[in-house]
Amino acid sequence: MIIVLLGPPGAGKGTQAKKIEGEFGLTHVATGDLLREAVRRETSLGKQAQDFMLRGRLVPDRIILDLIKNKIRGGASGFLLDGFPRNIIQAEELDELLEAENKKLDLVINLEVNHNEVIDRLNGRVICPECGKTYNVDHFVDEPLVCKDCGSRLSQRSDDNPDAIEERLKVYLRHTLPLIDYYKEKGILLSVSGERSPQEVFHRIVDLLQRVEDVH
Ligand code: AP5
């Protein structure tokens, strides 16, 4: 299966992707994670992307498409795309890329979360720089901010600040929201409320995916 996870920043795409990949044996491809890794390693791609990311803007399509082509071409047969596509141009390129590989997009899961909730989630998010696990600061009231899995000190993402969050939400509304209609017209969009607990959202997604697998 090839699946796209859609939703505004902070909707829980990364949180759900980590659960889904294990359950369904899909390869999780998150453009944000790939870009952050390139920035951390100070590669040429990372240097080109860094400023766009810090300001909450989209990284230019040609950089993203080079990144994603390498992952999709000749790679695993089942993918979970998180953070890509982000606009209509990227969606059309994805269609072409998959067609050239004799593959097709099976499903787009749209996580619906309201504006104020995503702002609260992004302001409160802390991540583990070592294993990538994500938490909310509220879960550490009387405890040190360290990862419960690997013990590393947790930190905020550099784009989780009020200015960048505001810009990311504007960019989402202008460029990414139109993908909902794009995929609705193709008949492959399923919307799920992302406002329940992570486990409840996951169960709902598993339910949907099992029904899709049964149809295949
Ligand atoms: P990216 O990393 O993709 O960021 P994003 O889309 O802004 O999404 P987030 O990672 O912020 O949120 P998420 O939905 O994964 O939520 P999470 O699970 O972490 O992109 C970053 C930047 O890279 C972009 O701004 C852009 O510059 C660039 N970029 C990336 N892809 C690009 C592309 N294709 N084209 C161009 N540029 C691109 O959860 C958030 C918080 O909420 C966490 O604290 C989590 O613990 C909590 N949480 C999760 N689920 C729940 C729940 N159900 N209830 C309560 N809390 C929850």
Side-chain angles (χ1 to χ4, degrees):
M1 263 196 295
I2 299 180
I3 300 171
V4 164
L5 271 181
L6 264 191
K13 302 181 293 296
T15 302
Q16 293 303 324
K18 288 188 180 75
K19 293 174 183 285
I20 299 167
E21 69 173 335
E23 183 80 20
F24 288 87
L26 300 172
T27 301
H28 177 199
V29 179
T31 39
D33 290 348
L34 295 172
L35 290 166
R36 278 183 290 280
E37 176 64 10
V39 170
R40 198 180 64 79
R41 288 174 38 228
E42 299 183 359
T43 65
S44 128
L45 188 148
K47 285 177 187 154
Q48 292 176 67
Q50 186 168 27
D51 192 47
F52 293 99
M53 296 174 76
L54 272 177
R55 288 189 291 144
R57 303 266 171 90
L58 290 184
V59 172
D61 292 334
R62 66 175 169 78
I63 298 180
I64 297 295
L65 292 165
D66 281 350
L67 194 68
I68 210 86
K69 272 177 196 162
N70 291 333
K71 289 282 161 192
I72 290 184
R73 276 192 190 142
S77 55
F79 287 102
L80 185 58
L81 297 170
D82 160 9
F84 176 88
R86 219 45 173 234
N87 58 28
I88 299 285
I89 291 175
Q90 292 183 11
E92 289 171 348
E93 290 278 350
L94 175 63
D95 291 342
E96 283 178 27
L97 198 59
L98 291 177
E99 200 180 323
E101 297 280 312
N102 281 325
K103 294 173 179 163
K104 72 171 178 56
L105 184 56
D106 295 289
L107 189 65
V108 177
I109 299 173
N110 177 37
L111 284 178
E112 296 179 319
V113 179
N114 77 66
H115 188 83
N116 291 338
E117 173 72 16
V118 290
I119 291 176
D120 282 352
R121 288 186 188 180
L122 294 174
N123 278 319
R125 173 168 56 188
V126 279
I127 54 168
C128 174
E130 288 306 314
C131 70
K133 193 155 182 193
T134 300
Y135 301 89
N136 187 292
V137 278
D138 294 347
H139 299 147
F140 295 84
V141 184
D142 289 321
E143 293 173 64
L145 271 177
V146 294
C147 179
K148 294 184 198 296
D149 281 1
C150 72
S152 302
R153 183 146 191 88
L154 303 175
S155 58
Q156 254 200 325
R157 243 168 66 175
S158 54
D159 58 349
D160 279 348
N161 63 73
D163 288 347
I165 290 173
E166 192 184 331
E167 183 62 22
R168 283 156 66 200
L169 289 169
K170 277 191 200 155
V171 165
Y172 168 76
L173 292 177
R174 195 177 318 133
H175 298 284
T176 311
L177 195 65
L179 291 179
I180 292 181
D181 281 342
Y182 180 85
Y183 288 123
K184 225 182 239 174
E185 278 166 27
K186 288 180 180 285
I188 53 172
L189 184 99
L190 286 174
S191 288
V192 174
S193 169
E195 293 185 2
R196 294 163 191 261
S197 74
Q199 206 51 26
E200 283 174 300
V201 177
F202 177 58
H203 284 143
R204 176 81 184 111
I205 292 174
V206 169
D207 199 39
L208 287 173
L209 291 181
Q210 277 167 347
R211 276 191 252 161
V212 171
E213 270 194 334
D214 289 348
V215 172
H216 281 74

